[in-house]
Amino acid sequence: MEAELTALAASGATTFVGLMATEAWSQVRGRLARVLGRGEGDDVIDAELEESRAELTAARAEGDQQAAADIEAAWRNRLRRTLRADPAAAEELRAVLEELAPQQYSGPAVAINHNTISGGHYNAPVIMAQWVDDGVRSTPRRGPGDA
């Protein structure tokens, strides 16, 4: 049972810290505060979550991956303690994570990546992309005067 709670806490921390940098965070934050607070001190936990979000945003802006990993580790430990103390919290956390998981593939997935380029001298723009259009089209473009 301990391994399951540890895995659930890790999954929760990874998911929630990943969401801290997205627009979805405002919707998820309150639910996480309720899971952790169990009805008591939700406002205090909410403030701690916002503080972590600010630290995470600053760490990512500075390229400090260790600080980001430390924030995730802190929330993983906090979740694990909560799950040990209250088994009902595990079910609530599972429910939140299931809602956040993609239900079905309905189009291109959106992934948030943080890439850093450092050192060296670059004589041209650096492009990071999944696809780069080569300019060749299978059907010609039509202009406003074309029939």
Side-chain angles (χ1 to χ4, degrees):
M1 185 67 160
E2 180 66 25
E4 183 181 336
L5 291 180
T6 299
L8 181 59
S11 176
T14 300
T15 300
F16 293 125
V17 170
L19 288 171
M20 282 182 179
T22 69
E23 291 179 16
W25 176 244
S26 61
Q27 299 169 354
V28 175
R29 185 184 72 220
R31 296 200 56 200
L32 179 57
R34 284 190 293 280
V35 169
L36 290 165
R38 310 302 301 143
E40 299 175 19
D42 292 357
D43 292 337
V44 173
I45 293 169
D46 190 60
E48 291 173 10
L49 288 166
E50 278 306 298
E51 183 179 335
S52 287
R53 181 180 193 217
E55 290 173 11
L56 179 69
T57 302
R60 286 185 174 167
E62 295 170 4
D64 188 350
Q65 295 177 354
Q66 184 59 50
D70 290 347
I71 292 166
E72 184 176 327
W75 285 107
R76 181 177 55 246
N77 291 332
R78 179 86 174 260
L79 278 168
R80 189 172 56 235
R81 286 192 308 271
T82 299
L83 299 177
R84 279 187 199 149
D86 186 355
E91 288 307 314
E92 192 172 340
L93 179 58
R94 278 188 194 96
V96 172
L97 291 174
E98 285 176 10
E99 285 180 30
L100 295 174
Q103 299 301 319
Q104 294 178 355
Y105 181 74
S106 60
V110 176
I112 297 173
N113 293 315
H114 177 77
N115 297 308
T116 304
I117 299 173
S118 62
H121 180 75
Y122 302 96
N123 295 317
V126 176
I127 299 172
M128 290 183 237
Q130 185 170 359
W131 295 287
V132 176
D133 188 352
D134 63 1
V136 177
R137 297 191 175 275
S138 59
T139 57
R141 276 191 162 165
R142 295 180 182 244
D146 295 342

